[in-house]
Amino acid sequence: MSELRIRPMQAGDLPAGLALTQAVGWSHRLADWQLAFSLGKGWVAGDSSGRVVGTIIVWNWSERAATLGFVIVDPALQGKGLGRRLMDKALQYTGGRAVQLAATDAGLKLYRDCGFAARGSIEQWQAADLSVKTPPPLPNLQLRTGQAEDLGLLVELDADAFGAKRPALIESVLASGNAVIAVQDGRPRGFAMRRPSGRGLVIGPLVAVDQDMAIVLAAEQMRGVNGLVRIDVPGDADQLRRWLATAGLGCVDRVTIMVRGAWPPMAQRGMRRLALAAQALG
């Protein structure tokens, strides 16, 4: 293991990173790697021949908050300390920021050893055949398609629910997908974004004042969609989870949300993050 060299990730490493995700059964496309790399800073571990055998990416969203993901080690080298070396490098880069990640069961011990503590769970729901029914109407609610000029609003609503502004992420998702904004009594009450990812479409981030609003937004983004749809929702969003089941989606995986440090407080608009942009991105 001492012969493995950890160095900054470069664009030319992304196909090798994609091969690692395929080796561990993740559904990422090269485009998903490109998006993640464009928004953050990564490192790779290479063997003496230059072959990439490990990866990690960090996103410093603000002076107080970061997320961490794409922590992958070649299956043949797992359990030998390489993951800890990658984590140490990435956490050094985050400085004094609080850091959030989504942990599989296999990674829980590593992350606990690095100072992370559990803060809830995220469930991955998906289906290829949807049976979406129109949810009950909410009074004085209007849904409209997000436009480029709505970027500032989307960033603010996302920050209310996440704890930090992520303009580059929201702009990238808007450019590759779309957004639906909910306005009730003249006030923004949430939004849902959708983009190609993995084997189909991902809905998220989805931010709303409550789960009734989240269901309306999710239903709008699922309407008329053919093919696989995925949405990653908090494990305690019981009402939304029940509705997803009625729409034909099933829970296929569950991860633990872990945080190191004091996460920034949410803003005062009452927004809640009810679907993630991606498990790694938050």
Side-chain angles (χ1 to χ4, degrees):
M1 294 298 294
S2 62
E3 297 178 354
L4 296 177
R5 173 174 169 254
I6 297 178
R7 59 171 175 79
M9 184 180 291
Q10 303 172 3
D13 296 316
L14 301 187
L18 176 64
L20 281 179
T21 50
Q22 293 171 337
V24 296
W26 295 1
S27 62
H28 297 76
R29 308 166 303 152
L30 182 59
D32 302 322
W33 272 90
Q34 291 168 335
L35 173 65
F37 176 71
S38 72
L39 296 172
K41 181 175 179 60
W43 289 264
V44 300
D47 64 15
S48 57
S49 69
R51 183 174 66 95
V52 172
V53 295
T55 64
I56 196 167
I57 303 179
V58 169
W59 300 270
N60 285 342
W61 300 116
S62 72
E63 293 302 314
R64 300 179 64 186
T67 55
L68 184 154
F70 286 71
V71 186
I72 313 169
V73 172
D74 187 308
L77 297 175
Q78 290 178 4
K80 299 182 179 180
L82 180 56
R84 181 59 186 259
R85 289 177 60 190
L86 289 164
M87 287 291 295
D88 288 345
K89 178 68 70 172
L91 290 174
Q92 181 180 5
Y93 176 71
T94 65
R97 294 172 176 84
V99 186
Q100 183 180 122
L101 57 79
T104 63
D105 289 345
L108 285 173
K109 183 181 184 304
L110 168 63
Y111 301 136
R112 290 193 183 109
D113 290 346
C114 291
F116 287 82
R119 292 291 187 273
S121 64
I122 292 292
E123 294 182 354
Q124 179 190 149
W125 288 69
Q126 67 181 45
D129 297 308
L130 301 178
S131 55
V132 179
K133 297 179 181 179
T134 302
L138 299 178
N140 303 318
L141 177 66
Q142 293 181 323
L143 300 179
R144 64 177 179 85
T145 302
Q147 306 295 333
E149 55 267 28
D150 292 311
L151 178 61
L153 172 63
L154 296 171
V155 169
E156 290 292 338
L157 295 177
D158 177 67
D160 285 343
F162 178 72
K165 291 185 178 181
R166 305 184 290 177
L169 169 64
I170 301 301
E171 185 175 20
S172 295
V173 175
L174 190 60
S176 62
N178 65 41
V180 173
I181 301 172
V183 178
Q184 190 175 37
D185 295 321
R187 294 182 298 163
R189 305 292 279 170
F191 72 89
M193 306 190 82
R194 188 183 77 195
R195 65 185 171 90
S197 180
R199 301 184 182 95
L201 294 173
V202 166
I203 295 174
L206 190 163
V207 168
V209 292
D210 56 35
Q211 293 184 58
D212 285 329
M213 192 68 67
I215 289 169
V216 170
L217 287 164
E220 183 66 19
Q221 284 289 29
M222 292 179 188
R223 197 180 315 280
V225 171
N226 295 314
L228 184 70
V229 172
R230 169 177 171 173
I231 182 169
D232 293 273
V233 303
D236 62 354
D238 294 338
Q239 182 182 350
L240 176 57
R241 292 161 61 242
R242 286 193 296 268
W243 180 83
L244 292 173
T246 68
L249 288 84
C251 178
V252 299
D253 194 19
R254 182 181 290 104
V255 296
T256 302
I257 293 297
M258 306 189 79
V259 176
R260 182 179 188 261
W263 194 257
M266 305 303 140
Q268 300 303 312
R269 297 193 195 196
M271 295 292 164
R272 182 180 176 188
R273 185 175 44 152
L274 286 160
L276 277 60
Q279 289 185 3
L281 297 171

